[in-house]
Amino acid sequence: MGKGPGLYSDIGKKARDLLYKDYQSDHKFTVTTYTSTGAAITSSGIKKGELFLADVSSQLKNKNITTDIKVDTNSNLFTTITVDEPAPGLKSIFSFRIPDQRSGKVELQYQHEYAGISTGIGLTASPIVNFSGVIGNNSLSLGTDLAFDTASGNFTKCNAGLSYTNTDLLASLTLNDKGDTLNASYYHLVSPLTNTAVGAELTHSFSSNENTLTIGTQHSLDPLTSVKARVNSYGRASALIQHEWRPKSLFTISGEVDTRAIEKSAKIGLALALKP
Protein backbone atom coordinates (compact mmCIF):
# COMPACT_ATOMS: atom_id res chain seq x y z
CA MET A 1 0.00 0.00 0.00
CA GLY A 2 1.16 3.52 -0.71
CA LYS A 3 1.87 6.06 1.98
CA GLY A 4 -1.05 8.29 2.89
CA PRO A 5 -4.65 8.23 1.60
CA GLY A 6 -3.69 8.76 -2.06
CA LEU A 7 -5.93 10.64 -4.50
CA TYR A 8 -9.71 10.48 -4.91
CA SER A 9 -9.30 8.29 -8.00
CA ASP A 10 -7.68 5.64 -5.78
CA ILE A 11 -10.93 5.07 -3.84
CA GLY A 12 -12.30 1.70 -4.99
CA LYS A 13 -9.57 1.29 -7.63
CA LYS A 14 -8.49 -2.19 -6.52
CA ALA A 15 -12.02 -3.54 -6.90
CA ARG A 16 -12.52 -1.78 -10.26
CA ASP A 17 -9.28 -3.22 -11.62
CA LEU A 18 -10.25 -6.71 -10.49
CA LEU A 19 -13.74 -6.51 -12.01
CA TYR A 20 -13.11 -4.57 -15.23
CA LYS A 21 -9.42 -4.25 -16.16
CA ASP A 22 -8.25 -6.24 -19.24
CA TYR A 23 -11.78 -7.41 -20.13
CA GLN A 24 -12.67 -6.53 -23.72
CA SER A 25 -14.64 -7.81 -26.70
CA ASP A 26 -12.42 -6.24 -29.39
CA HIS A 27 -9.12 -7.25 -30.96
CA LYS A 28 -6.16 -5.11 -29.90
CA PHE A 29 -2.49 -5.19 -30.88
CA THR A 30 0.24 -3.05 -29.27
CA VAL A 31 3.96 -2.89 -30.06
CA THR A 32 6.47 -0.82 -28.06
CA THR A 33 10.04 -0.11 -29.16
CA TYR A 34 12.81 2.05 -27.69
CA THR A 35 15.18 4.38 -29.52
CA SER A 36 18.86 4.83 -28.73
CA THR A 37 18.00 8.03 -26.82
CA GLY A 38 15.60 6.14 -24.54
CA ALA A 39 12.34 7.36 -26.08
CA ALA A 40 9.54 4.80 -26.12
CA ILE A 41 7.44 4.53 -29.30
CA THR A 42 4.18 2.60 -29.13
CA SER A 43 1.97 1.64 -32.07
CA SER A 44 -1.46 0.21 -31.37
CA GLY A 45 -4.48 -0.86 -33.35
CA ILE A 46 -7.93 -1.98 -32.28
CA LYS A 47 -10.66 -3.60 -34.33
CA LYS A 48 -14.22 -2.77 -33.22
CA GLY A 49 -16.55 -4.74 -35.45
CA GLU A 50 -15.84 -3.49 -38.98
CA LEU A 51 -14.07 -0.38 -37.71
CA PHE A 52 -10.29 -0.30 -37.28
CA LEU A 53 -8.66 2.41 -35.13
CA ALA A 54 -4.94 2.99 -34.74
CA ASP A 55 -2.59 5.41 -33.04
CA VAL A 56 1.12 6.03 -32.57
CA SER A 57 2.49 7.45 -29.33
CA SER A 58 5.91 8.32 -28.00
CA GLN A 59 7.19 8.95 -24.50
CA LEU A 60 10.37 10.82 -23.66
CA LYS A 61 11.75 11.17 -20.13
CA ASN A 62 14.29 13.80 -19.12
CA LYS A 63 15.07 13.80 -15.41
CA ASN A 64 11.70 14.45 -13.74
CA ILE A 65 9.89 15.61 -16.92
CA THR A 66 7.89 13.12 -19.02
CA THR A 67 6.45 14.10 -22.40
CA ASP A 68 3.78 11.92 -24.03
CA ILE A 69 2.67 12.57 -27.63
CA LYS A 70 0.01 10.54 -29.46
CA VAL A 71 -1.45 10.77 -32.97
CA ASP A 72 -4.59 8.81 -33.91
CA THR A 73 -6.28 7.88 -37.17
CA ASN A 74 -8.47 11.00 -37.00
CA SER A 75 -5.34 13.21 -37.17
CA ASN A 76 -5.72 14.32 -33.57
CA LEU A 77 -2.51 15.16 -31.71
CA PHE A 78 -2.56 14.57 -27.95
CA THR A 79 0.27 15.97 -25.83
CA THR A 80 0.80 15.56 -22.09
CA ILE A 81 3.74 17.00 -20.16
CA THR A 82 4.22 15.74 -16.61
CA VAL A 83 6.64 17.26 -14.10
CA ASP A 84 7.14 14.86 -11.20
CA GLU A 85 7.98 16.38 -7.82
CA PRO A 86 9.09 19.94 -8.65
CA ALA A 87 8.51 20.13 -4.89
CA PRO A 88 8.11 17.23 -2.43
CA GLY A 89 4.79 15.44 -2.99
CA LEU A 90 3.80 17.67 -5.93
CA LYS A 91 3.11 16.70 -9.55
CA SER A 92 2.08 19.07 -12.36
CA ILE A 93 0.43 17.96 -15.60
CA PHE A 94 -0.16 20.05 -18.73
CA SER A 95 -2.19 18.55 -21.58
CA PHE A 96 -3.75 19.70 -24.83
CA ARG A 97 -5.13 18.33 -28.08
CA ILE A 98 -4.71 19.67 -31.61
CA PRO A 99 -6.77 20.88 -33.47
CA ASP A 100 -9.10 21.46 -30.47
CA GLN A 101 -7.97 24.85 -29.18
CA ARG A 102 -10.19 24.59 -26.09
CA SER A 103 -8.67 21.34 -24.85
CA GLY A 104 -5.71 22.79 -22.93
CA LYS A 105 -5.68 21.88 -19.25
CA VAL A 106 -3.35 22.32 -16.29
CA GLU A 107 -3.54 19.95 -13.34
CA LEU A 108 -1.72 19.92 -10.01
CA GLN A 109 -1.54 16.91 -7.70
CA TYR A 110 -0.25 16.96 -4.16
CA GLN A 111 0.08 13.93 -1.89
CA HIS A 112 0.81 14.16 1.81
CA GLU A 113 0.89 11.63 4.61
CA TYR A 114 -2.62 12.67 5.63
CA ALA A 115 -4.07 14.27 2.48
CA GLY A 116 -4.23 14.00 -1.30
CA ILE A 117 -5.35 16.93 -3.49
CA SER A 118 -5.84 17.22 -7.24
CA THR A 119 -7.01 20.38 -8.98
CA GLY A 120 -7.30 21.19 -12.67
CA ILE A 121 -8.46 24.08 -14.81
CA GLY A 122 -9.15 24.36 -18.53
CA LEU A 123 -7.20 27.00 -20.47
CA THR A 124 -10.24 28.81 -21.86
CA ALA A 125 -12.02 32.09 -21.18
CA SER A 126 -14.76 30.25 -19.23
CA PRO A 127 -13.06 27.08 -18.00
CA ILE A 128 -14.30 24.05 -16.12
CA VAL A 129 -12.55 23.84 -12.76
CA ASN A 130 -11.98 20.40 -11.23
CA PHE A 131 -11.11 19.74 -7.60
CA SER A 132 -10.77 16.53 -5.64
CA GLY A 133 -9.46 16.07 -2.16
CA VAL A 134 -8.94 13.20 0.28
CA ILE A 135 -8.06 13.33 3.96
CA GLY A 136 -7.14 10.41 6.20
CA ASN A 137 -4.36 7.86 6.43
CA ASN A 138 -3.43 4.42 5.12
CA SER A 139 -6.47 2.86 6.82
CA LEU A 140 -9.36 5.30 6.54
CA SER A 141 -9.94 8.17 4.13
CA LEU A 142 -12.76 10.51 3.16
CA GLY A 143 -12.86 12.56 -0.02
CA THR A 144 -14.85 14.60 -2.53
CA ASP A 145 -14.67 15.17 -6.29
CA LEU A 146 -16.12 18.37 -7.78
CA ALA A 147 -16.30 20.05 -11.20
CA PHE A 148 -17.57 23.62 -11.66
CA ASP A 149 -18.50 25.17 -15.01
CA THR A 150 -17.65 28.87 -14.81
CA ALA A 151 -19.65 29.57 -18.00
CA SER A 152 -22.98 28.35 -16.56
CA GLY A 153 -22.14 28.80 -12.89
CA ASN A 154 -23.20 25.21 -12.12
CA PHE A 155 -21.52 22.19 -10.61
CA THR A 156 -21.26 19.55 -13.35
CA LYS A 157 -19.90 16.92 -10.96
CA CYS A 158 -20.35 16.44 -7.24
CA ASN A 159 -19.18 13.15 -5.78
CA ALA A 160 -18.09 11.95 -2.35
CA GLY A 161 -16.33 8.80 -1.20
CA LEU A 162 -15.21 6.84 1.86
CA SER A 163 -12.51 4.17 1.85
CA TYR A 164 -11.35 1.62 4.41
CA THR A 165 -8.10 -0.33 3.97
CA ASN A 166 -6.79 -3.25 5.99
CA THR A 167 -3.81 -5.52 5.33
CA ASP A 168 -5.66 -7.67 2.78
CA LEU A 169 -9.07 -6.00 2.57
CA LEU A 170 -10.29 -2.80 0.93
CA ALA A 171 -13.84 -1.45 1.06
CA SER A 172 -15.25 1.78 -0.34
CA LEU A 173 -18.52 3.67 -0.53
CA THR A 174 -19.07 6.48 -3.05
CA LEU A 175 -21.99 8.76 -3.88
CA ASN A 176 -21.91 9.81 -7.54
CA ASP A 177 -24.00 11.64 -10.18
CA LYS A 178 -24.89 14.47 -7.79
CA GLY A 179 -26.27 12.05 -5.23
CA ASP A 180 -28.23 9.83 -7.62
CA THR A 181 -25.94 6.78 -7.60
CA LEU A 182 -24.60 4.92 -4.58
CA ASN A 183 -21.68 2.57 -5.19
CA ALA A 184 -20.22 0.09 -2.70
CA SER A 185 -17.17 -2.02 -3.54
CA TYR A 186 -15.16 -4.70 -1.77
CA TYR A 187 -11.75 -6.28 -2.48
CA HIS A 188 -10.14 -9.10 -0.51
CA LEU A 189 -6.69 -10.55 -1.19
CA VAL A 190 -7.14 -14.21 -0.22
CA SER A 191 -3.64 -15.50 -1.01
CA PRO A 192 -0.68 -13.21 -1.79
CA LEU A 193 1.41 -16.17 -3.03
CA THR A 194 -1.01 -16.94 -5.90
CA ASN A 195 -2.45 -13.40 -6.14
CA THR A 196 -5.87 -14.88 -5.44
CA ALA A 197 -8.47 -12.22 -4.74
CA VAL A 198 -12.23 -11.74 -4.74
CA GLY A 199 -14.17 -8.54 -5.26
CA ALA A 200 -17.68 -7.20 -5.56
CA GLU A 201 -19.41 -3.99 -6.56
CA LEU A 202 -23.00 -2.99 -5.85
CA THR A 203 -24.51 0.06 -7.57
CA HIS A 204 -27.91 1.53 -6.67
CA SER A 205 -29.63 4.23 -8.73
CA PHE A 206 -32.08 6.30 -6.69
CA SER A 207 -33.85 7.73 -9.77
CA SER A 208 -34.59 4.35 -11.37
CA ASN A 209 -34.47 2.29 -8.15
CA GLU A 210 -32.28 -0.27 -9.93
CA ASN A 211 -29.49 -2.34 -8.40
CA THR A 212 -26.50 -3.81 -10.24
CA LEU A 213 -24.28 -6.37 -8.55
CA THR A 214 -20.98 -7.55 -10.03
CA ILE A 215 -18.75 -10.13 -8.38
CA GLY A 216 -15.38 -11.42 -9.60
CA THR A 217 -12.21 -13.25 -8.75
CA GLN A 218 -8.63 -13.62 -9.95
CA HIS A 219 -5.95 -16.28 -9.53
CA SER A 220 -2.41 -16.84 -10.80
CA LEU A 221 -1.92 -20.34 -12.22
CA ASP A 222 1.83 -19.76 -12.25
CA PRO A 223 4.14 -16.70 -12.10
CA LEU A 224 3.41 -15.94 -15.78
CA THR A 225 -0.26 -16.91 -16.20
CA SER A 226 -3.33 -15.50 -14.50
CA VAL A 227 -7.08 -15.99 -14.87
CA LYS A 228 -10.02 -13.80 -13.96
CA ALA A 229 -13.80 -14.28 -13.96
CA ARG A 230 -16.83 -12.15 -13.17
CA VAL A 231 -20.61 -12.23 -13.35
CA ASN A 232 -23.24 -9.54 -12.83
CA SER A 233 -26.89 -9.48 -11.82
CA TYR A 234 -27.96 -9.15 -15.48
CA GLY A 235 -26.61 -12.62 -16.21
CA ARG A 236 -23.49 -11.57 -18.13
CA ALA A 237 -20.57 -13.85 -17.31
CA SER A 238 -17.00 -13.05 -18.40
CA ALA A 239 -13.62 -14.72 -18.09
CA LEU A 240 -10.08 -14.09 -19.27
CA ILE A 241 -6.67 -15.68 -19.26
CA GLN A 242 -3.49 -13.61 -19.51
CA HIS A 243 -0.02 -14.97 -20.16
CA GLU A 244 3.29 -13.11 -19.99
CA TRP A 245 5.21 -15.06 -22.62
CA ARG A 246 8.23 -12.78 -22.29
CA PRO A 247 9.01 -9.91 -19.86
CA LYS A 248 6.35 -7.17 -20.22
CA SER A 249 4.84 -8.87 -23.30
CA LEU A 250 1.29 -10.04 -22.60
CA PHE A 251 -1.26 -12.14 -24.49
CA THR A 252 -4.84 -11.89 -23.25
CA ILE A 253 -7.95 -13.69 -24.41
CA SER A 254 -11.32 -12.83 -22.88
CA GLY A 255 -14.91 -13.85 -23.47
CA GLU A 256 -18.38 -12.86 -22.39
CA VAL A 257 -21.66 -14.74 -22.59
CA ASP A 258 -25.21 -13.71 -21.72
CA THR A 259 -26.53 -16.57 -19.59
CA ARG A 260 -30.10 -15.32 -20.07
CA ALA A 261 -29.77 -15.60 -23.85
CA ILE A 262 -27.37 -18.51 -24.22
CA GLU A 263 -28.34 -18.95 -27.88
CA LYS A 264 -26.52 -15.73 -28.74
CA SER A 265 -22.88 -15.91 -29.77
CA ALA A 266 -20.30 -15.26 -27.10
CA LYS A 267 -18.13 -12.14 -27.41
CA ILE A 268 -14.43 -12.93 -27.74
CA GLY A 269 -11.66 -10.39 -27.29
CA LEU A 270 -7.94 -10.71 -28.01
CA ALA A 271 -5.12 -8.44 -26.91
CA LEU A 272 -1.42 -8.73 -27.68
CA ALA A 273 1.14 -6.34 -26.17
CA LEU A 274 4.77 -6.63 -27.27
CA LYS A 275 7.65 -4.93 -25.47
CA PRO A 276 11.39 -5.52 -25.93
Side-chain angles (χ1 to χ4, degrees):
M1 304 296 175
K3 184 179 181 180
L7 300 175
Y8 185 86
S9 57
D10 296 325
I11 295 179
K13 186 177 184 301
K14 277 282 189 179
R16 291 195 303 271
D17 286 349
L18 170 63
L19 296 173
Y20 304 111
K21 187 178 180 181
D22 295 325
Y23 286 101
Q24 64 174 17
S25 58
D26 306 310
H27 297 169
K28 186 176 182 181
F29 181 74
T30 304
V31 178
T32 301
T33 58
Y34 294 90
T35 67
S36 58
T37 59
I41 300 176
T42 302
S43 302
S44 64
I46 183 168
K47 187 175 184 295
K48 294 178 175 286
E50 299 300 323
L51 184 64
F52 182 79
L53 303 174
D55 61 66
V56 177
S57 61
S58 64
Q59 184 182 82
L60 179 62
K61 294 184 178 181
N62 182 17
K63 296 182 180 180
N64 65 330
I65 301 176
T66 303
T67 303
D68 293 278
I69 301 175
K70 183 174 73 172
V71 180
D72 64 14
T73 49
N74 294 322
S75 299
N76 292 312
L77 176 65
F78 302 84
T79 301
T80 303
I81 301 173
T82 304
V83 182
D84 193 18
E85 292 211 341
L90 185 67
K91 178 185 290 187
S92 60
I93 303 170
F94 171 61
S95 61
F96 62 90
R97 184 180 66 189
I98 297 175
D100 187 357
Q101 299 178 354
R102 296 174 53 86
S103 62
K105 182 180 178 180
V106 175
E107 181 180 357
L108 294 177
Q109 297 178 359
Y110 176 72
Q111 295 195 56
H112 183 266
E113 186 177 359
Y114 300 108
I117 298 173
S118 176
T119 180
I121 183 170
L123 301 180
T124 62
S126 300
I128 293 178
V129 180
N130 296 276
F131 172 83
S132 65
V134 178
I135 58 173
N137 52 33
N138 288 347
S139 299
L140 186 65
S141 60
L142 176 67
T144 185
D145 185 22
L146 307 171
F148 181 75
D149 189 345
T150 58
S152 63
N154 297 321
F155 282 96
T156 59
K157 182 169 62 174
C158 185
N159 304 327
L162 175 68
S163 176
Y164 170 75
T165 302
N166 202 342
T167 305
D168 55 1
L169 184 148
L170 295 90
S172 68
L173 187 68
T174 58
L175 190 62
N176 305 315
D177 302 324
K178 298 181 180 180
D180 182 64
T181 304
L182 183 65
N183 182 288
S185 66
Y186 165 84
Y187 173 92
H188 181 206
L189 182 61
V190 179
S191 173
L193 293 177
T194 58
N195 197 31
T196 303
V198 294
E201 180 184 65
L202 176 64
T203 302
H204 174 75
S205 173
F206 293 100
S207 59
S208 62
N209 199 31
E210 291 184 353
N211 296 314
T212 303
L213 175 65
T214 304
I215 59 175
T217 184
Q218 69 179 23
H219 175 74
S220 293
L221 301 176
D222 57 54
L224 301 177
T225 308
S226 61
V227 293
K228 294 173 65 175
R230 72 179 184 194
V231 64
N232 65 18
S233 54
Y234 293 102
R236 293 187 178 91
S238 306
L240 70 80
I241 181 169
Q242 186 175 79
H243 179 68
E244 186 178 10
W245 57 282
R246 58 178 295 178
K248 299 181 181 180
S249 294
L250 303 172
F251 176 72
T252 307
I253 180 170
S254 58
E256 180 182 278
V257 62
D258 188 348
T259 60
R260 298 183 180 180
I262 200 69
E263 70 279 0
K264 294 183 179 180
S265 299
K267 297 179 180 180
I268 303 296
L270 299 172
L272 180 62
L274 303 177
K275 290 187 178 183

